[in-house]
Every structure is written in structure tokens, then in C-alpha cells.
């Protein structure tokens, strides 16, 4: 890790976690109920780390798996493109296939279970962003996931109407998620309203989850508005996510 990356992640404990044939480094910090923060493309940037630090300061134990990129490296167009290529070719992510659950979900579910088994409490939370935006939905397959947050979910990539509506879940997993919503598990979703990468997934989420889906759709002021919690950060939305965790986990 570069010295700049080290300073960005100062105070975070580096570890590793393996499950489902997948291994990644992890970064952990804080105390209290567990929250898994899954970064966006291109990786754990300074703004992703800053958001995670705010969750820590709000009274939570945060674990960030390092799925792509160089931890602490700032966002740039070239860096984002390089990481995007990795998403497209990695077998961990179903970047184009519809009606399938990304293999990395099994890894994240195991990571979440390990965290919950250690910390206990009412359950855990998670947030995914961009390519990982829908991953918290897949983590709802486990009852201990009680505070899932989906920020600008963008997989599979919105090439065509079918992919633009797909939730990156297999039919069987869709049924489990729907049942959990019927049992009372709420899902918080955030997006800019002109963000084409999100496609029509919010319509799909409303159809699947009904009134258990809490949608925050912000007016886009620029064509580049995408990352609600980081690069094009909306302060009120960040606080809404933290309040969601407080209401469900504390």
C-alpha cells in the first residue's frame, strides 16, 4: 500500500477473509453492531474510506472487503476504467448475465455471518455502491441482515431493457428476498434520478419489495451525478443511511 493509502486508512486494521473459494483483504474499525461497507468502482478510495469512517463514528464496527483496486488510491477516470475491466472479466461478478446471483455474494454473506457471530446484537447492516450496489440485497438471504442499503445499484450493466431491470439475483434468491421483505425487512435505496447506470432497477425493487423498499431519488444536476455517498456526495443521504443503521441495529 502506498503512503497516501496508508494515511487514508490510518487506524483501520488490515486482515483477510476467505470463503466460497474467494479471498480478499479486509479493513476493520470501530465498535458496536457490524456493518459491511462494499466499495464502488474503482476501489476503496479516500471518499469511500471517509464515508466508512462516519459510520464508525456513529457507533458501528465497519468491515470493508477490498474487492478491486489499490486501497486508498484516489479516483481518476483511468483508474476507474482499469477497475471496470476487472469487474467485466472476473468470475466473481455477473456483469452482464441476468437472473443470476453474483458468486461474490456467497463470500459477502459468509463475511457478514462471521461478523454477526462475533458481535451479536439485533443483526448487521451492509451497503453496496455502484457495481456492488445490489450486493446487500443478496445478503438478505440471511436473517441477520436487517439493514441493507443499495446505493446506485449498477449490475448487471444496463445494456438493454432486460439488464437495466435485473436485480442480480437468481429466481430462487428473489423469492427468499421477497419473503424477508414480507416479514418486515426494509431496504433503503439511493440514486440520482438521471443516472442511466441504475437503469430501471428501482421499479424492479418496488415490484419485489413493495412498501418495504424505501427509495431516495435525488434530482440530478449534472450528467455525471452517480455516487450518492462518495464522489457526488449528498450530505442528507449520508445522514439518512446512518440513521437507518441506528434505527435497525442500535
Amino acid at each position: 500500500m502506498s503512503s497516501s493509502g496508508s494515511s487514508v486508512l490510518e487506524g483501520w486494521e488490515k486482515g483477510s477473509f476467505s470463503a466460497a473459494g474467494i479471498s480478499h483483504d479486509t479493513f476493520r474499525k470501530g465498535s458496536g453492531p457490524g456493518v459491511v461497507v462494499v466499495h464502488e468502482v474503482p476501489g476503496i478510495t479516500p471518499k469511500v474510506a471517509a464515508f466508512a469512517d462516519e459510520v464508525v463514528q456513529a457507533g458501528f464496527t465497519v468491515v470493508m472487503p477490498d474487492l478491486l483496486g489499490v486501497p486508498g488510491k484516489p479516483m481518476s477516470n483511468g483508474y476507474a476504467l482499469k477497475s471496470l475491466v476487472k469487474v467485466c472479466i472476473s468470475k466473481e461478478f455477473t456483469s452482464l448475465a441476468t437472473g443470476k446471483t453474483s458468486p461474490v455474494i456467497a463470500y459477502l454473506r459468509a463475511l457478514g455471518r462471521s461478523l454477526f457471530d462475533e458481535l451479536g446484537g439485533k443483526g448487521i447492516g451492509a451497503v453496496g455502491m455502484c457495481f456492488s450496489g445490489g450486493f446487500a440485497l443478496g445478503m438478505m438471504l440471511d436473517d441477520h441482515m436487517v439493514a441493507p442499503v443499495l446505493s446506485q445499484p449498477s449490475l448487471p450493466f444496463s445494456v438493454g431493457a432486460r439488464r437495466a431491470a435485473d436485480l442480480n439475483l437468481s429466481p430462487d434468491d428473489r423469492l427468499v428476498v421477497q419473503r424477508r421483505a414480507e416479514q418486515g425487512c426494509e431496504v433503503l435505496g439511493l440514486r440520482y434520478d438521471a443516472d442511466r447506470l441504475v437503469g430501471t432497477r428501482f421499479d424492479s425493487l418496488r415490484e419485489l419489495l413493495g412498501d418495504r423498499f424505501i427509495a431516495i431519488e435525488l434530482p440530478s444536476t449534472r450528467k455525471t451525478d452517480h455516487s450518492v455517498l462518495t464522489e457526488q456526495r449528498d450530505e442528507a443521504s449520508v445522514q439518512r443511511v446512518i440513521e437507518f443503521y441506528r434505527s435497525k441495529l442500535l
Side-chain angles (χ1 to χ4, degrees), residues 15 68 74 164 187 235:
L68 296 168
V187 177
E235 181 63 34

Side-chain angles (χ1 to χ4, degrees), residues 28-37 52 54-63 112 114-126 144-147 242 244-250:
R28 175 171 173 158
K29 192 177 186 181
S31 60
V35 175
V36 179
V37 173
E54 289 183 78
V55 179
V56 168
Q57 291 163 14
F60 301 95
T61 301
V62 172
V63 174
S114 174
L115 194 60
F116 176 68
D117 287 347
E118 175 192 346
L119 300 175
K122 296 181 178 180
I124 66 169
H144 57 255
M145 174 50 63
V146 298
I242 291 173
F244 184 69
Y245 290 146
R246 284 174 172 152
S247 69
K248 302 296 182 184
L249 303 178
L250 294 180

Side-chain angles (χ1 to χ4, degrees), residues 138-185:
M139 294 173 74
M140 275 179 68
L141 297 174
D142 297 312
D143 290 344
H144 57 255
M145 174 50 63
V146 298
V149 177
L150 286 57
S151 191
Q152 75 269 7
S154 304
L155 278 190
F157 295 126
S158 301
V159 183
R162 185 180 177 186
R163 291 190 181 95
D166 192 83
L167 295 177
N168 206 207
L169 292 174
S170 69
D172 288 346
D173 289 349
R174 280 178 61 95
L175 290 175
V176 175
V177 167
Q178 186 175 46
R179 183 168 66 248
R180 290 225 46 224
E182 291 170 349
Q183 293 169 347
C185 185

Side-chain angles (χ1 to χ4, degrees), residues 4 10 35 41 50 54 59 91 108 116 119 125 127 132 134 147 175 205 217:
S4 60
E10 184 177 357
V35 175
V41 167
E54 289 183 78
K91 294 181 180 179
L108 293 172
F116 176 68
L119 300 175
V127 58
S132 72
L175 290 175
L205 287 162
E217 298 181 90

